[in-house]
Amino acid sequence: MNRRSSLLGGAAVIGMAVAAAGLMLRRKRAGGPAPLPVMEADLFSSAHVPLDAPVGSLRVFHLGHSLVGRDMPAMLAQMAPEGHDYASQLGWGATLRAHWMGPDEVPGFTEENDHPAYRPARAAIESGDYDAVVLTEMVELRDAIRWHGSSLYLAEWARLAHQARPDCRVYLYETWHRLDDEAGWLDRIDADSDGLWRDELIRRAMGAEGVGVIYRIAGGPVLAAVARAAEAGELPGLQRREGLFARLPDGSLDQIHLSDLGNYVIALAHYAVLYHRDPRGLPADLKRADGSRAEAFDPDSAARIQAIVWEVVRRDPLSGLRP
């Protein structure tokens, strides 16, 4: 670790902790730390130039929580070109702030990182070993923004990645809220995609000095598009959005965590954005992180889902893909 990185790893953590504590005291009634200013729309748009498609395989670091999980990155690795490598640091509903402050601040740190793909986030990103860093924020996202300084800490992680390796591709993985959200699951995905994920997180973070460009993996919109197709009768193997979600031990529906089928959809989105490749033709029969066989879509449904994913991510101007 060089001296600059060491200062980032030590003084930056202390400084951000002190600043955040002071801001929270001053803003107790209004909310958490003051957000960064919003980057001007024209500058933001012009910054998102299309990226060149990667040549060969990538090394990818995932930072987040259970909506990243263990199985989705393992599925992505099975889709990707030979040589794809990945590592992660996870927590229970962990915020970007908690990960920045250190393991003691991350709920479920020991349990969630008890697997071979774990690597400490700060050391991993400072190493410059990774071609791409994929970050995500906790949900409820409005609470993360209000109380946990989402734009501030997205900026910190992106800056760290670009300081360690200027050509590193940094992505924000956009997730979703609970199926039983009172505002409506699809409505929240539609409204939050630009209103919160883009404007409150990415646009604010990119306005800070030294952050660079942050691209997006539109997981929530992809999942919503697949759910809409299923409920329109276009996917014979899937009729309802609930089929994309896991079951709890008592058999009831998990309102936010994905089933194997849902993880497959999100892995396709990561593949399409990271590799700039049409996912049509990829295998549907994959394994979970523990090596067991995952539930799979039938070939016809898988092919339709792959086409939907490709359509959604190619439309997203923040994906880095060429139109």
Side-chain angles (χ1 to χ4, degrees):
M1 183 185 299
N2 60 35
R3 176 173 175 79
R4 189 177 188 184
S5 295
S6 178
L7 289 172
L8 281 168
V13 171
I14 295 170
M16 289 299 295
V18 171
L23 281 166
M24 288 190 77
L25 285 173
R26 292 194 298 273
R27 291 171 54 85
K28 185 175 180 181
R29 292 183 181 177
L36 295 166
V38 176
M39 189 179 196
E40 291 184 12
D42 58 342
L43 294 177
F44 182 74
S45 178
S46 63
H48 285 92
V49 296
L51 294 164
D52 291 331
V55 177
S57 59
L58 299 173
R59 298 195 71 193
V60 181
F61 190 80
H62 303 267
L63 180 67
H65 43 68
S66 56
L67 299 189
V68 178
R70 304 182 190 186
D71 292 335
M72 187 279 291
M75 290 181 175
L76 169 61
Q78 294 165 70
M79 299 173 176
E82 184 177 357
H84 177 96
D85 188 29
Y86 72 94
S88 68
Q89 179 175 299
L90 308 174
W92 291 337
T95 62
L96 290 169
R97 177 188 180 279
H99 282 297
W100 183 261
M101 303 305 281
D104 290 345
E105 296 293 320
V106 178
F109 183 89
T110 299
E111 296 84 350
E112 285 299 304
N113 295 300
D114 184 19
H115 58 89
Y118 164 67
R119 186 175 180 188
R122 189 178 296 275
I125 294 173
E126 285 181 333
S127 73
D129 290 343
Y130 295 93
D131 305 294
V133 172
V134 182
L135 311 165
T136 196
E137 183 56 289
M138 74 160 232
V139 288
E140 169 61 59
L141 187 58
R142 289 175 296 203
D143 290 343
I145 291 167
R146 180 177 181 185
W147 299 108
H148 300 287
S150 295
S151 60
L152 294 170
Y153 291 97
L154 176 60
E156 291 293 348
W157 283 114
R159 184 185 294 115
L160 186 65
H162 285 136
Q163 286 176 334
R165 181 170 167 173
D167 68 342
C168 179
R169 298 179 177 194
V170 177
Y171 297 87
L172 181 67
Y173 161 36
E174 177 181 335
T175 62
W176 52 90
H177 290 83
R178 290 175 57 88
L179 279 173
D180 58 1
D181 191 287
E182 62 182 11
W185 185 69
L186 290 172
D187 290 339
R188 280 296 304 271
I189 290 174
D190 293 344
D192 292 356
S193 186
D194 287 345
L196 298 184
W197 292 99
R198 183 191 67 186
D199 294 343
E200 291 297 325
L201 270 70
I202 301 178
R203 277 184 66 187
R204 290 186 186 278
M206 282 180 53
E209 184 177 357
V211 169
V213 182
I214 301 171
Y215 292 90
R216 174 166 66 180
I217 299 174
V222 162
L223 208 64
V226 171
R228 285 184 164 113
E231 292 172 0
E234 299 174 15
L235 301 174
L238 182 70
Q239 286 76 45
R240 296 172 56 82
R241 67 191 68 172
E242 287 82 0
L244 298 168
F245 288 80
R247 291 283 169 178
L248 298 171
D250 64 2
S252 61
L253 183 68
D254 188 320
Q255 296 289 331
I256 194 164
H257 297 103
L258 298 179
S259 64
D260 291 340
L261 301 181
N263 277 320
Y264 177 76
V265 172
I266 297 301
L268 288 172
H270 279 70
Y271 171 89
V273 174
L274 291 170
Y275 281 102
H276 297 223
R277 296 186 185 183
D278 186 336
R280 286 176 288 187
L282 287 176
D285 194 1
L286 302 175
K287 294 180 180 179
R288 305 182 184 99
D290 64 6
S292 60
R293 185 177 179 182
E295 181 184 1
F297 287 105
D298 66 77
D300 289 342
S301 292
R304 175 67 181 127
I305 288 166
Q306 291 163 0
I308 291 169
V309 169
W310 187 232
E311 181 182 359
V312 172
V313 301
R314 288 185 71 198
R315 285 202 314 261
D316 182 10
L318 307 188
S319 69
L321 301 180
R322 297 188 185 280

